[in-house]
Amino acid sequence: AAVVSGWSGPSTPLDAHHAGRRHRRRPLPSATTPRMVVSFRDYANRVGSRNQEADKSDTLFNPFKRRPDAVTSDPVVARETAQYSVVMMRHGESAFNKLNVFTGWCDVPLTEAGKKEALSAGETIASQNVKFDVAYCSVLQRSSVTCHTVLEACGQSWIPVRHRWELNERHYGSLQGLDKAETAKTEGQEVVRAWRQGYHVRPPEMDEEHPHWPLMAEDRRYTTLMEDGRLPRTESLADTAVRVMDLWNSEIAPAVKSGKKVLIVAHRNSLRALLRNLEGLDDSQVEDMHIPTGVPFSYPLDSALRPVAVPLAPGTEANNPGWGFQGEFLSAQPGFKSFHEQCMIDWETDPANPSPECFSIISDHSPTNPGAPEVLSDEVLDLSGAEQGGE
C-alpha cells in the first residue's frame, strides 16, 4: 500500500463495538487516485491551479478545497445561514503544558487549573443551552477527562463518548519530554518553530531507547498499531491530518450530516489539522493558528460541512489575532453559575422536594436564541501571541 506522510492505511479501531463496523470505514484512496499522493506538499502543488476556481463539490472528503468566500460580511447573518455546527475545544491545561514541555503521546494528567478549565467550559456550554448527541475525544487522559468533566458540568454525562486514537495529539518523536525553552537554546528558535508550527516538518524520530517508547509500545491502547507496525515514531502536522481527516470523513462528518450535535475534545495539533483542512488554509495561515486550552468554540458549517463564518481578511489589522480561525469562542451567560450552585443547595436541603428549576440545568439566564451564542472577543483570548506550554 502507498504511504501518505508516514501512514499506510485507514485507522484501526480499538474497541469491539467500533471493530464491528470496521468494514464500513472508507479506506484511504490508492496512490493512483487524484486525492492521494505520497507527499501532501506535492499534492497541494499539483492541485494548486485547480483550487483557483470555486469548488462547489458536496463531497465529505477533500481537504484541499479552496477557502470558501464569505457570502456576507455580517457574522450574525453568517451564523444564521449555517445548516450545521460542531462544538470543539482543546483539553484543559495539562502537567506538561504547565512545565512548557513537548508532550505528544505522553499520557500526562490535567493540572488543577486544567480541571477548573474543563468545569468552566461545561458550565459555559450549559449556560448557552447547547445540546449534544455524541462526543468524541482522544484516548489520552487529558482529552478524555476534560470531555467527561465538560459533559458532567453541562448535565449531559449520559451521552455516548467515543474515544479515538486518531484524535491524539501529534507525536513529537524524540522531542517528547524535553523542555521547549532549553531545546530552543540548543537547536535554535527557528528550528523549534518549524517543528512546532510547520505543516510538513517532522521532528527527529523516537527510537526504542527513548524513555517514552515503552509508555506507548507496551500500552494496550496501541496494541493493534504496534502489531501492524503503524505506531508512529514522529509526525508532522500533515501526518496528523491523515488520521484526523480519516476519522472526520468516516465517522464524525456522517454523524453531523445525519443531524447529530457533536462535541469534539481534542488537542492543539489534532484540532489545527482538522481546521486547516476544513477551511482550506495555506501553510502560513495554519502556522499562525493558536487555540487556547479549555475554551469551547462553535464552528457553523454549510451543507458541505465547510465553515460559513466571516473570514478575517489578509492584510488588515484585525487579521493578526486568530488568523485562519473562523470558530466562535463561547462565553458563559451571567448568573448561570450562581443559579446552578443554589440549585445544588436546594437539593441537599430538601432532597424530597427539589425546586422545579432543578429539573433543568438551564436557568432563566440562558440565551433566548441558542443559535446565536455570545462569543468572546480576540482581545479577551489574546490569540495573536505565541502559545506557551506543552502540546
Side-chain angles (χ1 to χ4, degrees):
V3 175
V4 180
S5 297
W7 291 85
S8 59
S11 53
T12 302
L14 294 176
D15 56 85
H17 172 71
H18 193 193
R21 297 186 291 126
R22 182 178 181 184
H23 66 282
R24 284 187 276 171
R25 291 179 65 99
R26 180 186 300 170
L28 292 176
S30 69
T32 59
T33 67
R35 284 191 283 181
M36 178 177 180
V37 294
V38 172
S39 166
F40 270 58
R41 186 184 296 277
D42 290 345
Y43 182 88
N45 292 337
R46 180 183 301 180
V47 301
S49 58
R50 265 190 288 146
N51 284 347
Q52 299 304 314
E53 302 176 2
D55 186 346
K56 301 185 183 300
S57 170
D58 194 52
T59 180
L60 291 178
F61 189 96
N62 192 339
F64 292 100
K65 288 181 180 177
R66 65 187 296 275
R67 185 171 188 164
D69 294 326
V71 296
T72 174
S73 60
D74 187 339
V76 175
V77 174
R79 283 197 301 269
E80 291 176 347
T81 63
Q83 295 191 30
Y84 308 99
S85 68
V86 176
V87 174
M88 310 179 198
M89 65 175 290
R90 184 181 174 189
H91 60 79
E93 182 192 66
S94 74
F96 278 11
N97 289 142
K98 184 176 182 179
L99 296 173
N100 197 31
V101 167
F102 287 103
T103 314
W105 283 32
C106 188
D107 196 15
V108 295
L110 296 178
T111 61
E112 288 304 313
K115 294 175 183 177
K116 291 179 180 178
E117 286 178 339
L119 180 62
S120 176
E123 292 174 344
T124 294
I125 288 170
S127 76
Q128 293 283 354
N129 197 18
V130 178
K131 306 294 187 184
F132 301 116
D133 298 303
V134 62
Y136 285 85
C137 63
S138 78
V139 298
L140 296 169
Q141 63 172 307
R142 58 191 187 273
S143 168
S144 61
V145 171
T146 297
C147 183
H148 287 278
T149 302
V150 166
L151 292 175
E152 180 180 359
C154 69
Q156 301 181 63
S157 57
W158 53 271
I159 71 166
V161 177
R162 298 173 181 171
H163 303 78
R164 300 290 184 255
W165 74 268
E166 293 95 331
L167 289 176
N168 274 17
E169 176 58 285
R170 166 192 181 182
H171 193 298
Y172 263 101
S174 64
L175 300 181
Q176 286 190 192
L178 298 182
D179 182 275
K180 291 179 182 176
E182 292 301 318
T183 305
K185 290 178 182 179
T186 58
E187 303 295 334
Q189 291 283 357
E190 290 304 313
V191 172
V192 172
R193 174 176 170 79
W195 281 337
R196 293 191 65 203
Q197 303 295 103
Y199 193 71
H200 301 277
V201 181
R202 290 175 179 162
E205 287 191 358
M206 176 185 291
D207 60 32
E208 296 181 9
E209 300 301 317
H210 192 286
H212 284 194
W213 176 254
L215 298 179
M216 294 170 290
E218 299 175 12
D219 192 318
R220 64 193 181 108
R221 284 172 287 190
Y222 309 122
T223 299
T224 303
L225 293 179
M226 191 65 184
E227 291 175 348
D228 293 346
R230 297 192 296 125
L231 187 69
R233 294 174 179 266
T234 186
E235 287 181 310
S236 66
L237 193 56
D239 297 330
T240 308
V242 173
R243 54 178 167 88
V244 171
M245 294 310 295
D246 176 33
L247 179 68
W248 172 264
N249 291 293
S250 62
E251 280 196 55
I252 301 177
V256 175
K257 279 274 192 174
S258 72
K260 292 186 182 298
K261 304 301 183 183
V262 176
L263 169 67
I264 301 174
V265 181
H267 304 261
R268 174 181 182 263
N269 286 300
S270 50
L271 289 173
R272 287 174 70 218
L274 174 60
L275 299 179
R276 192 262 193 187
N277 287 293
L278 289 182
E279 294 202 26
L281 305 179
D282 61 32
D283 291 355
S284 61
Q285 287 173 306
V286 77
E287 286 179 7
D288 290 334
M289 181 187 293
H290 302 294
I291 303 174
T293 59
V295 184
F297 54 92
S298 175
Y299 247 81
L301 305 170
D302 63 17
S303 60
L305 303 189
R306 303 303 306 281
V308 297
V310 179
L312 297 171
T316 66
E317 183 177 350
N319 179 56
N320 294 327
W323 183 29
F325 183 86
Q326 297 185 52
E328 298 172 329
F329 288 91
L330 306 183
S331 63
Q333 292 296 304
F336 168 78
K337 188 172 183 179
S338 59
F339 158 82
H340 188 50
E341 290 174 347
Q342 184 59 49
C343 182
M344 295 307 297
I345 293 173
D346 292 345
W347 272 109
E348 295 172 358
T349 303
D350 189 1
N353 297 286
S355 60
E357 290 82 3
C358 286
F359 290 108
S360 172
I361 197 169
I362 306 302
S363 74
D364 292 336
H365 297 286
S366 301
T368 57
N369 180 12
E374 181 179 338
V375 298
L376 294 176
S377 66
D378 290 338
E379 288 75 17
V380 174
L381 290 167
D382 190 21
L383 295 180
S384 58
E387 286 179 299
Q388 298 297 318
E391 54 207 57

